Amino acid sequence: MIFGTGIDLTEIKRIDQMQTKHPHFVEKVLTKKEFLQYDQLTGQNRREFLAGRFSLKEAFSKAYGTGIGAKLAFHDIEILNNSVGRPMVTQSIFPGIAHVSVSHTNDLVITQVILEKEP
């Protein structure tokens, strides 16, 4: 049974600006395991990864119904790429199944999250 859906559209340039303005932005958004994957990337792939994780977590928070804030923090959600590069939610406060999708252009990241509750 579907619990909630969320989508998010993020400008990569905006995430770059946040990272420049706030040096600890990466640590605020990414868990330690996510940072390990991020740290192995360079250039546009690195920019897309950070923007993608930010956007996925925003979409997750919309599907969950709270937004990012007092009830749900960035580190409450962990999304790692599996062996073939597919993003998978590996940790969250949601007890059901989280389906995630991310797509990039040079300038934008769009994400979708569907939260599924077991009947």
Side-chain angles (χ1 to χ4, degrees):
M1 175 169 76
I2 302 290
F3 175 82
T5 64
I7 60 170
D8 189 72
L9 182 66
T10 299
E11 293 179 87
I12 295 172
K13 182 178 178 181
R14 181 173 149 249
I15 299 303
D16 291 343
Q17 292 168 343
M18 291 293 292
Q19 189 177 4
T20 300
K21 187 175 179 181
H22 304 283
H24 297 289
F25 180 75
V26 173
E27 290 86 5
K28 179 180 178 181
V29 174
L30 301 180
T31 66
K32 289 179 183 180
K33 289 180 183 177
E34 289 169 330
F35 184 81
L36 291 175
Q37 288 188 341
Y38 166 81
D39 201 37
Q40 294 177 11
L41 302 171
T42 59
Q44 184 68 8
N45 289 336
R46 189 176 184 137
R47 296 172 68 228
E48 289 174 358
F49 184 92
L50 181 57
R53 288 310 180 271
F54 176 87
S55 185
L56 279 166
K57 292 178 182 196
E58 286 286 333
F60 185 102
S61 74
K62 292 171 185 176
Y64 193 62
T66 61
I68 296 289
K71 294 185 181 186
L72 181 68
F74 286 112
H75 282 223
D76 290 333
I77 311 156
E78 182 174 77
I79 304 160
L80 299 174
N81 290 347
N82 69 10
S83 61
V84 294
R86 179 180 175 196
M88 308 287 293
V89 175
T90 56
Q91 167 194 310
S92 79
I93 63 172
F94 182 70
I97 300 167
H99 306 275
V100 300
S101 182
V102 60
S103 187
H104 310 90
T105 69
N106 285 335
D107 303 315
L108 298 170
V109 175
I110 188 165
T111 56
Q112 178 180 28
V113 174
I114 300 171
L115 298 179
E116 182 180 1
K117 230 178 179 180
E118 295 184 34

